[in-house]
Amino acid sequence: GGGGGGGGVPGPSSPATLTGLTGSTTYNYRVTVDGAAGSEQSFTTVAPVALENGSMENWSQSGKQWNPWGSGDTPFWGTGNEGSSILSSIGNITSPTEESVSGKAAYLESKDAWLKLAAGNLFIGDFELDGTNGLLHFGRPFTSFPTALRLYYKYTPSIISIVGSSIEATLPSNLKNMVGQSDLFQIYIALSDKSEPYEIRNDPNKRQLFDPNDANIVAYGEYTSSEPVTSYKELEIPLEYRYTNRTPKYIIIVASSSKYGDYYLGGVGSKLWLDEMELVYE
């Protein structure tokens, strides 16, 4: 069955939207125009794919470095811990915590990394060191069509500061004005049909950041806030599809306790807790 429309006869290119469908299901339909029924057609919805370790239950350690995957598991999520944990004065910027909605949660904290700010981060992809900077790859293979990302979070922002005058020279002018203001956290989700993950570099001399307006982004959603949240709050981030005739190849989710951590800008001590992340399919 399907829903009807009102307000006149739709033109030949007018889209129709069906809601309440179930994944991995074949539906038969027939279009009727002015009482004349067309031939029966069918379509099959894609399978809903769950978000791997979205509950943040599975963690392991490599030395002192915390990893958001179980021992022996194939990594799906990544963090910047490989860069921060080698400095004993900093340690992990992302780690498991029992302060959760259920079981374990991810705890992200922005820390003073001597001449830089190390923002707590969690992302789908992997991290490696490029000198003293990060070289990240965003995205894991994914071909389904979620409509939103649902999660629970808490946030404690600090005041934005610059750690080290050498970084200040590389900041865009609009970000320099943010020093002294409250920090912000950011979570975004993107579906891409690019043939490979996105390469991200935060070296000020060859900075290459993620562009949500990239031509390969099929769907995108984000949430940014500086509001302190002291007990877990549910958040749903809708995915806005820019194209309905393209199938994703990769999923990207990125969370940071300091939105401008790519520029080493943020508040030392900003804290973000994330738990029970799941993909919504409507």
Side-chain angles (χ1 to χ4, degrees):
V9 178
S13 62
S14 298
T17 301
L18 303 179
T19 61
L21 303 179
T22 303
S24 301
T25 304
T26 298
Y27 291 87
N28 298 322
Y29 70 96
R30 197 187 298 272
V31 177
T32 301
V33 179
D34 293 336
S39 59
E40 186 174 285
Q41 307 285 332
S42 68
F43 64 86
T44 302
T45 54
V46 298
V49 177
L51 181 60
E52 187 172 328
N53 199 25
S55 62
M56 290 290 117
E57 293 303 301
N58 301 323
W59 296 79
S60 58
Q61 278 185 289
S62 305
K64 295 181 179 180
Q65 176 186 322
W66 277 110
N67 303 313
W69 61 83
S71 180
D73 291 349
T74 300
F76 183 81
W77 296 92
T79 75
N81 285 344
E82 183 178 343
S84 66
S85 63
I86 58 177
L87 300 173
S88 59
S89 61
I90 303 171
N92 292 279
I93 51 177
T94 301
S95 56
T97 176
E98 303 285 339
E99 196 176 328
S100 63
V101 175
S102 174
K104 295 174 184 171
Y107 170 63
L108 289 60
E109 181 180 353
S110 298
K111 296 185 177 183
D112 184 343
W114 295 348
L115 294 179
K116 301 173 182 176
L117 177 110
N121 58 68
L122 179 71
F123 57 90
I124 293 177
D126 53 56
F127 176 97
E128 59 185 278
L129 278 172
D130 178 22
T132 60
N133 298 288
L135 169 59
L136 297 77
H137 293 96
F138 282 175
R140 299 286 187 197
F142 186 86
T143 56
S144 198
F145 295 86
T147 51
L149 171 66
R150 183 185 296 145
L151 56 94
Y152 289 84
Y153 80 96
K154 297 193 300 181
Y155 187 55
T156 302
S158 294
I159 298 301
I160 292 177
S161 57
I162 294 179
V163 184
S165 58
S166 62
I167 303 301
E168 187 171 3
T170 71
L171 281 175
S173 57
N174 63 312
L175 296 189
K176 291 181 183 179
N177 298 331
M178 299 196 67
V179 177
Q181 299 180 28
S182 177
D183 206 353
L184 312 93
F185 80 92
Q186 183 178 53
I187 303 171
Y188 62 83
I189 175 171
L191 302 178
S192 163
D193 63 1
K194 190 177 179 182
S195 58
E196 58 190 6
Y198 284 86
E199 185 174 279
I200 308 299
R201 296 178 181 271
N202 52 21
D203 183 338
N205 297 316
K206 47 184 175 182
R207 189 175 279 132
Q208 184 171 298
L209 305 182
F210 178 75
D211 179 9
N213 295 313
D214 183 85
N216 287 111
I217 300 300
V218 175
Y220 182 77
E222 70 172 49
Y223 184 80
T224 301
S225 177
S226 60
E227 178 190 358
V229 174
T230 56
S231 58
Y232 276 101
K233 180 179 180 180
E234 186 181 62
L235 172 64
E236 193 163 300
I237 304 174
L239 265 167
E240 180 182 330
Y241 278 80
R242 299 170 180 175
Y243 305 95
T244 55
N245 60 345
R246 288 161 56 174
T247 299
K249 294 179 181 177
Y250 286 86
I251 184 171
I252 299 162
I253 297 175
V254 179
S256 178
S257 51
S258 296
K259 175 181 179 179
Y260 297 108
D262 288 328
Y263 295 95
Y264 301 119
L265 177 70
V268 173
S270 291
K271 303 173 179 68
L272 176 64
W273 292 259
L274 298 172
D275 201 8
E276 303 304 310
M277 292 187 280
E278 63 176 328
L279 297 173
V280 178
Y281 291 86
E282 161 48 57

